[in-house]
Amino acid sequence: MKSPTHCADTGSDYDVLQWDTREDCEVRQILDRIADKWSLLVIALLDRGSLRFTELRREIDGVSQRMLTVTLRQLERDGLVERTVHAVVPPRVDYALTPLGRTLHETVRSLVAWTESHQREIAAARATYDARTG
Amino acid sequence: MKSPTHCADTGSDYDVLQWDTREDCEVRQILDRIADKWSLLVIALLDRGSLRFTELRREIDGVSQRMLTVTLRQLERDGLVERTVHAVVPPRVDYALTPLGRTLHETVRSLVAWTESHQREIAAARATYDARTG
DNA sequence: CGGTATCCGTTCTGATACTG
DNA sequence: CAGTATCAGAACGGATACCG
């Protein structure tokens, strides 16, 4: 049996604590998707309401058309984002969080909030480290 | 002025809500580091206590020596992980979360918890998507 | 044991061009 | 507007060899 699972049955002590670090574990794969550079930002932005492709692109500085498309497709595939195509000219496509996606938002929000509130400490730590190591 | 900042002063409506999507933003850089594939797992494991290099490597299935070293160095640089070298033969190096690292753990934990509790829904969404798109 | 240094394939990503 | 297709360069990541 090689298919990805939650694999909470490896016998390791740590699995008791619900963590799973196994490579073929589905949780780890999903984690990688969500904790993605662009995914995080897209989820963050969409929580305030649906946005069009171009609006997302404008808000997320530095994202290429290609990567935004790829990211949105992945999030759509995972059931986190809903894509709505309006049959008008010019085309209009709206992206919004699904109910499942909204349940994720709070967690994502807290991760970003942590980063915002601790960025000074991290910057200081980096400066110290860099000075120490040359 | 091109140095990374929190950049909460761009004038965009979204900045009012504290989100920052600008490429040169320090928050985004830190976010990328933390939301890293291996970093997440290391932080998770270390919350239960300090571990040696080899112990971490054994716990995290699939991580190469190189990537574990790189990850640990980054976390150390960011002040999230503390590295303790014991002057013994054979060498012994312990890794532990710093107080700052521990403040992050709860957030990381909730992210993994979300993934664990919603993996079935995501798997189902993927199956639906894949079936629909062929 | 706990690394560092190097090589090298793969994957990611952005730029560009084109389309309904 | 909202993509798709293609391509080349950069970054990532693993395998291997070697060291204090």
Side-chain angles (χ1 to χ4, degrees):
Chain A
M1 179 149 71
K2 263 201 90 216
S3 63
T5 61
H6 181 219
C7 29
D9 54 343
T10 59
S12 162
D13 288 350
Y14 288 127
D15 292 327
V16 176
L17 296 163
Q18 303 249 32
W19 286 101
D20 203 317
T21 57
R22 274 174 54 183
E23 193 167 13
D24 65 348
C25 180
E26 205 173 90
V27 167
R28 241 178 75 175
Q29 296 172 11
I30 296 171
L31 218 45
D32 282 355
R33 284 273 107 263
I34 293 167
D36 175 74
K37 176 177 184 170
W38 304 120
S39 297
L40 235 39
L41 296 174
V42 168
I43 291 167
L45 286 170
L46 287 184
D47 188 66
R48 297 191 217 105
S50 73
L51 289 172
R52 301 177 64 170
F53 186 86
T54 307
E55 292 172 334
L56 277 169
R57 194 178 174 189
R58 188 166 40 235
E59 286 301 325
I60 303 174
D61 188 56
V63 71
S64 66
Q65 187 171 40
R66 174 186 155 76
M67 289 318 295
L68 182 54
T69 300
V70 169
T71 300
L72 287 169
R73 287 290 178 282
Q74 284 171 343
L75 292 175
E76 189 194 358
R77 178 170 181 259
D78 288 352
L80 299 171
V81 160
E82 187 185 24
R83 180 169 176 267
T84 309
V85 182
H86 302 279
V88 296
V89 178
R92 179 190 178 94
V93 180
D94 286 328
Y95 291 92
L97 289 186
T98 62
L100 179 61
R102 274 193 291 279
T103 68
L104 176 58
H105 177 262
E106 206 158 328
T107 300
V108 170
R109 185 82 185 84
S110 93
L111 182 60
V112 180
W114 184 93
T115 306
E116 285 175 341
S117 59
H118 292 281
Q119 61 168 323
R120 271 171 222 283
E121 295 170 71
I122 290 176
R126 285 182 179 176
T128 301
Y129 183 93
D130 292 346
R132 185 155 42 85
T133 59
Chain B
M1 206 219 333
K2 264 202 89 213
S3 65
T5 62
H6 182 218
C7 31
D9 54 344
T10 59
S12 160
D13 288 350
Y14 288 127
D15 292 327
V16 175
L17 296 162
Q18 304 249 31
W19 285 102
D20 203 317
T21 56
R22 275 174 52 183
E23 193 167 12
D24 64 350
C25 179
E26 205 174 88
V27 168
R28 242 178 74 178
Q29 295 171 9
I30 296 172
L31 217 46
D32 281 356
R33 284 275 109 261
I34 294 167
D36 175 74
K37 176 177 184 170
W38 304 119
S39 297
L40 234 38
L41 296 173
V42 168
I43 291 166
L45 286 170
L46 288 184
D47 188 67
R48 300 191 216 104
S50 71
L51 288 172
R52 301 177 64 170
F53 186 87
T54 308
E55 291 172 335
L56 278 169
R57 194 177 174 190
R58 190 166 39 236
E59 286 301 326
I60 303 175
D61 188 55
V63 72
S64 64
Q65 187 171 41
R66 174 186 155 77
M67 289 319 296
L68 183 55
T69 300
V70 168
T71 300
L72 287 169
R73 288 289 178 279
Q74 285 171 342
L75 292 175
E76 189 193 359
R77 178 171 181 257
D78 288 352
L80 299 170
V81 161
E82 186 185 23
R83 180 169 176 267
T84 308
V85 182
H86 302 278
V88 297
V89 179
R92 180 192 177 94
V93 180
D94 285 328
Y95 292 92
L97 289 186
T98 62
L100 180 60
R102 273 194 292 278
T103 68
L104 176 58
H105 177 261
E106 206 159 328
T107 300
V108 169
R109 187 81 186 83
S110 94
L111 182 59
V112 179
W114 183 94
T115 305
E116 285 175 339
S117 60
H118 293 282
Q119 61 168 322
R120 270 170 224 284
E121 295 169 72
I122 290 177
R126 286 182 180 176
T128 302
Y129 183 93
D130 292 345
R132 187 155 40 83
T133 59

